[in-house]
Amino acid sequence: MYQEKPFRLFMKYAIPQMIGLLLNSVYLIVDGMFIGNRLGRDAMAAAAIAVPVVEILIALALAISVGASIIISSSFGSGDTDRANRAFNLSIVIAVAMSILIAVFGNIYLNGLAIGLGSTPDIQQEAVTYLWYIVTGSPFLILSFAFSSYARADNQPKLAMTALVVGSVSNIILDYVFMYPLNMGIAGAALATALGPIFSVMILLPHFLRGKGMLRFRWPQLSPKLGWNILYLGAPAFVMEFSIGIVTLFYNIAINRNGFGEIGLAAYLTIGYIALIILTVFLGIAQGIQPLVSYFHGKHDHGRNRELMTFLFKMVAFLGIFLYVGVVFFSKPFITIFTPSDAELIAFTHSKATIYFSGFVFAGITILIITFFQSIQQALPAFVLALFRSAVFVPIFLFGFPLAWGAESIWLALSVAELVTFVVAGVWYYRSTRVPAGPTLPNKESVRLA
């Protein structure tokens, strides 16, 4: 099965994950549509406050599950199913413990959390209401992404996709029921979002409970070394997913600082939905091929990895250009769905979106390179590049550009950050892969997995 051509592997692994994540992203987008049409601009701004929290929760889930999946897939490649199952079971313990702590302490500090995320007095109560449901339901959100990663590593990419699709469809149905017939307001939208992952977990659990694959539930061995390795290898995935949330947080702050106010926050919520779709395409492809790259690395088949990555670079570059053309010419109808009667907000959002997304094609290729390094157990370059495209270059340009070119320049800052990171990533990837293929020698990071 792993010996198929890159296109076949792309269709079998990357496409299901991309579809699943895209439909899973409908969680927030459908919320925005219902909130914008039913409750208006201020409620949209309140929902925007919660977006970084959702992305951080997903990032934590991926930090655990992707780190474990790299060990699992690499172990399958080398024939060590026992180590794969040890990583699987220990990572579940870590995920459950972390999610419970988040739910407890998130509720204790809910008001401060909303203020810290950029809430204004006018939207504070709605923001707190929305956040309460998200934080309380966080254990299921984390576990839904974790089990999805494990299903892909266990050669079940379609099952992972099905679980994400079911969660998304249930969210759409519940959004309508809670916000229209039951008239629950913003609480209804948040509750629907919190319930969706529960259905995903219900779809995924039987695969592991019934022992249908090579991964099975066992009493976990509490190994600090293995736990550290899981989090160490998963750190780049955390930063990569967290970048969506942290960029949103930076932009919420910059929008307020530069005087764009509620219209800026509401516009950025819609821009964030478009960004979520585009980045989900790239992240879905990257996450889908991660088990393949790790498996080939475990078998020391570097030629297959180079062949696969060359194909993916071309595919992602094409998709990036295609998606940006779509933003320029077709995003206005999408924006109109959220606030059909607010012409000022529609025009404002469209004008900013065409600037904001100009460099996203570079983001797609950078995400692939980060995933490649991470999947071959080279966590350091993956981690550094992930930080560059989120926590380093973005704030530098976002808060530096207005000093030289005025408030409007904030909408270009992210694309410039993506371009600069792409250049660094490309050079790093080229230098790391130009050495002729040969046997893999032990290094500090691979030894850590022993």
Side-chain angles (χ1 to χ4, degrees), residues 348-397:
F348 181 92
T349 305
H350 182 259
S351 66
K352 307 312 177 193
T354 56
I355 302 170
Y356 184 85
F357 292 106
S358 57
F360 267 49
V361 63
F362 305 114
I365 298 174
T366 301
I367 287 170
L368 270 184
I369 293 174
I370 292 171
T371 302
F372 171 80
F373 280 128
Q374 183 182 17
S375 300
I376 65 169
Q377 303 169 16
Q378 296 294 324
L380 180 60
F383 184 77
V384 170
L385 290 172
L387 279 179
F388 278 176
R389 64 177 298 269
S390 57
V392 177
F393 292 136
V394 171
I396 289 174
F397 297 134

Side-chain angles (χ1 to χ4, degrees), residues 408-419:
E408 291 292 332
S409 63
I410 68 170
W411 305 103
L412 184 62
L414 180 61
S415 284
V416 175
E418 295 287 10
L419 172 60

Side-chain angles (χ1 to χ4, degrees), residues 119-278:
S119 175
T120 64
D122 291 338
I123 62 173
Q124 174 70 4
Q125 187 55 52
E126 289 182 307
V128 168
T129 299
Y130 198 95
L131 280 170
W132 183 84
Y133 286 95
I134 300 302
V135 170
T136 303
S138 59
F140 289 100
L141 179 63
I142 289 173
L143 288 174
S144 69
F145 275 87
F147 284 127
S148 175
S149 293
Y150 303 143
R152 288 197 313 277
D154 207 15
N155 195 33
Q156 293 295 323
K158 290 183 179 179
L159 176 64
M161 178 188 71
T162 300
L164 294 176
V165 169
V166 169
S168 300
V169 172
S170 67
N171 181 49
I172 295 171
I173 296 171
L174 293 176
D175 255 321
Y176 172 77
V177 172
F178 291 157
M179 293 193 69
Y180 282 86
L182 297 182
N183 197 29
M184 293 175 62
I186 198 169
L191 178 59
T193 300
L195 290 176
I198 296 177
F199 295 102
S200 297
V201 171
M202 291 171 62
I203 295 292
L204 290 161
L205 264 180
H207 171 77
F208 304 106
L209 288 172
R210 297 173 183 173
K212 293 183 176 180
M214 290 188 287
L215 295 178
R216 292 173 172 82
F217 287 121
R218 298 176 183 171
W219 190 256
Q221 299 178 20
L222 300 181
S223 166
K225 181 179 179 181
L226 180 58
W228 165 253
N229 288 333
I230 289 170
L231 297 176
Y232 176 73
L233 290 174
F238 170 84
V239 177
M240 218 166 17
E241 182 66 35
F242 178 69
S243 67
I244 301 175
I246 197 171
V247 167
T248 301
L249 175 60
F250 285 145
Y251 262 92
N252 284 345
I253 295 170
I255 285 167
N256 280 325
R257 286 184 56 178
N258 287 277
F260 290 104
E262 272 74 25
I263 190 173
L265 285 172
Y268 192 68
L269 177 63
T270 306
I271 288 173
Y273 291 148
I274 300 172
L276 186 61
I277 292 172
I278 295 174

